[in-house]
Amino acid sequence: MRAPHQDTYDAIVIGAGIQGSFTAYHLAQRHKDTLLLEQFILPHSRGSSHGQSRITRSAYPQVPYARMMPDSFRLWKRLENEAGTSLYRRTGLVVLGPAGDPQLEGCRQSLGDNHVLDAVELAQHFPGLRLHDGEVALWDSTGGVLFAERALRAVQDAFRRHGGTLQDGERVLHIEPGAVLTVTTTAGVYRAPRLIITAGAWTGALLAPLGLCLPLQPLRIDVCYWKEKEPGSTNRACPCFMTMGLSQAPHGIYGLPALEYPGLVKVCYHHGSPTDPDERDRVPPGTPHPDVTLLSSFISTYLPGLEPWPAVVETCLYTVSVPQGHPTPSWVQDPWPCMLTPWLPQNTPDGDFILDRHPKYSNIIIGAGFSGR
């Protein structure tokens, strides 16, 4: 074990996922001496910033998010220019759901009426996707694929180039609030007048000793890849898609073209099974996977060009809020030493993320509940 050491910074960020890494990058750009802490040795696959692809889009039911997206795309382009590498592929995005669904209608308003597709236009954009009676499809021309791991490396490298310090393999043991905060890890003691917590599934445990209870429950997500019945029938140029308002998939389904595994299309359900974040990979044999069964039915009905059972199933973590009246999981209640993880998408009761100051300690900023965004 490394001998403990002590350093002072302008700001400390806990959690080196995409949220924390970008936060640290912007602080360093503004000439703030910034420390970025990460529990795991980088790179790793314990969170959700691993893997090659994530969807980005302009189509959102919520007006504030839709209005944010032009700035978001400009920031990605700026990072691409700084890193000298491509981080985004514009494929377009099809949004599918029953006519009149409130969320789908919100997306239509954010995109405009001229982005509604009829069956012929849908077949031109996405020939493998079936549209059923009573359903409509929207076209988001800005939608596409972010190269997740490449983007994470790019922003962390840029953070370092701007003078930032990234310490991985350090688990946070204690946070002492004050005008100058003290963060004790397994390898050092650090002080700063500002602290930003972007700790994903461990956010609740990290905040509990600071007197703030966020009722967050991690979920284990099945990340599924489906084989083409005819090799090459779908290709890397196919658009992404997502569903809204389908009765058989109330949390939504999303899909990306065959980028990670040749000939395998990524299609996932935006929900999962409750889990302890430290136990997510310890699934007993014979554990049912109802979400995979749901996806299999969807594939057979909407994407008949794919085999109806996944060729590869991996796992990912989300964090959702515990419904009011349900007991908070014991591992959240216990003030055990908090561990950090990057960008574990989190859901809140209204689907909006938490971005605010601690109500008692105004120099602690919390970023959580990003709902996969």
Side-chain angles (χ1 to χ4, degrees), residues 1-7 167 170 185-190:
M1 180 182 292
R2 288 177 290 179
H5 54 280
Q6 182 171 313
D7 286 294
Q167 297 284 101
E170 291 199 29
T185 75
T186 50
V189 178
Y190 309 101

Side-chain angles (χ1 to χ4, degrees), residues 178-214:
V180 176
L181 302 115
T182 302
V183 177
T184 302
T185 75
T186 50
V189 178
Y190 309 101
R191 291 184 171 85
R194 303 173 186 86
L195 175 65
I196 299 92
I197 299 174
T198 53
W202 287 267
T203 299
L206 192 58
L207 291 172
L210 298 174
L212 183 60
C213 181
L214 297 181

Side-chain angles (χ1 to χ4, degrees), residues 228-286:
E228 302 163 323
K229 290 180 178 177
E230 296 182 13
S233 58
T234 61
N235 57 60
R236 293 159 62 93
C238 277
C240 302
F241 77 88
M242 58 188 298
T243 73
M244 291 184 174
L246 295 182
S247 59
Q248 65 269 44
H251 297 284
I253 293 171
Y254 63 92
L256 299 87
L259 290 169
E260 300 189 28
Y261 298 103
L264 299 184
V265 178
K266 183 177 180 179
V267 181
C268 307
Y269 189 43
H270 194 62
H271 201 61
S273 305
T275 187
D276 180 329
D278 290 323
E279 303 291 330
R280 70 155 198 188
D281 294 326
R282 301 173 187 172
V283 182

